Amino acid sequence: MNRLKNKVAVITGGNSGIGFGIAQAFKNEGAVGSITGRNELTLESSVEALDKEFIRIKGDVTNIDDLENIFKETVEKFGNIDVLVVNAGGVVDGIPLSGIDEVTEESYDKYMDLNLKSAYFSVQKALPYLNEGASVILIGSSAAHRAAPGMTVYGAAKAAIISLAKGLSLDLLPRKIRVNTLSPGSIDTPVFAKLVPQEQLEQVKQAWVDSTPVGRQGLPSDIGNAAVFLASDESSFIVGTEILADGGLTNISLMK
């Protein structure tokens, strides 16, 4: 229960879903630090649930000034950072996932800004505050490997995240900073309510269960446990690679 004892972590988008699951797992292993998000209410409730081992910092990861403030506030409270989890991303509010015939330049830019550009600059703006030997975890997606209707732009951004981890690892080798990608499959979070109408929600979830070899959707805690491993010294020989935490969705076929 102490694999992350005395480590300082920043988890972007740590106020809900996968990010909160990671924050819980980190707290349980002895870490402290900050969670970020745009919703003040969920930030407050999440910090309370984390027994105030983490502080909340309201911020938009697509805003460079907000990114700089996130790391400055964390360091002022806890000192330099040992673990950065670049989790914020996903569906852009008000812009549904669409096929190429419906995607506008504006919607394309917003998806890339949230899911790729913000990841790159999250790492860049954290650099002055990262300890030597720090672990950076980029949250990818199995969508980088599997095409699905309406997911082309999102999937392309997440595929770029996998490449980004390799290039950033090379850039940061002199500081012994490891960058890896952790890619979830279908995880049971509130995001589904943003993607499908309420009356179709259970049907869509069941379709993911049926497609996942282990026979269930993932939980935020599943991703949290994998993130703890990548954040800890146990993964010190793992760099520039991807861990798929997707229940076999990507690499195992259920075709008969």
Side-chain angles (χ1 to χ4, degrees):
M1 300 293 288
N2 289 303
R3 285 184 289 172
L4 303 182
K5 186 177 181 180
N6 298 323
K7 289 188 181 292
V8 176
V10 174
I11 304 165
T12 66
N15 55 327
S16 65
I18 288 172
F20 180 64
I22 293 172
Q24 284 184 306
F26 278 24
K27 188 267 291 187
N28 291 340
E29 292 289 344
V32 297
S34 63
I35 59 171
T36 80
R38 294 178 299 169
N39 187 309
E40 187 68 45
L41 291 177
T42 56
L43 280 170
E44 176 63 27
S45 62
S46 295
V47 165
E48 290 294 330
L50 294 168
D51 299 327
K52 297 188 177 180
E53 297 294 336
F54 282 72
I55 62 170
R56 68 186 190 276
I57 303 175
K58 187 176 181 180
D60 180 350
V61 294
T62 66
N63 183 298
I64 297 297
D65 289 339
D66 282 4
L67 282 177
E68 291 180 338
N69 181 64
I70 286 166
F71 301 117
K72 287 179 181 177
E73 280 199 33
T74 302
V75 170
E76 286 173 2
K77 174 69 174 180
F78 298 103
N80 282 358
I81 298 163
D82 301 294
V83 186
L84 168 61
V85 182
V86 182
N87 167 73
V91 178
V92 178
D93 289 342
I95 304 180
L97 297 165
S98 306
I100 190 170
D101 55 333
E102 297 178 348
V103 172
T104 65
E105 182 178 9
E106 179 184 13
S107 64
Y108 175 92
D109 287 344
K110 285 185 178 296
Y111 267 89
M112 285 296 180
D113 284 351
L114 178 60
N115 290 289
L116 178 58
K117 181 180 177 181
S118 71
Y120 184 90
F121 284 101
S122 291
V123 178
Q124 186 194 73
K125 298 306 177 185
L127 284 180
Y129 311 106
L130 291 177
N131 282 321
E132 181 172 301
S135 174
V136 175
I137 304 167
L138 308 181
I139 300 301
S141 171
S142 62
H145 302 278
R146 294 168 54 94
M151 300 282 282
T152 302
V153 176
Y154 175 77
K158 291 302 187 179
I161 288 293
I162 297 168
S163 179
L164 194 64
K166 299 174 185 178
L168 291 175
S169 290
L170 186 61
D171 288 346
L172 299 175
L173 278 179
R175 293 180 56 186
K176 301 179 182 178
I177 294 173
R178 300 180 296 113
V179 186
N180 292 290
T181 303
L182 174 56
S183 293
S186 175
I187 308 298
D188 191 3
T189 72
V191 73
F192 278 92
K194 295 183 179 181
L195 298 175
V196 297
Q198 181 63 37
E199 62 272 16
Q200 298 176 18
L201 189 58
E202 291 308 313
Q203 180 182 353
V204 170
K205 286 185 176 183
Q206 187 59 48
W208 280 109
V209 170
D210 294 340
S211 300
T212 302
V214 301
R216 67 174 177 89
Q217 281 189 288
L219 300 173
S221 59
D222 292 316
I223 309 305
N225 292 335
V228 166
F229 169 68
L230 286 174
S232 74
D233 295 337
E234 293 175 358
S235 60
S236 61
F237 203 56
I238 297 176
V239 60
T241 195
E242 178 191 22
I243 291 180
L244 277 160
D246 67 350
L249 184 67
T250 300
N251 290 328
I252 301 176
S253 173
L254 293 178
M255 293 178 63
K256 299 179 180 179

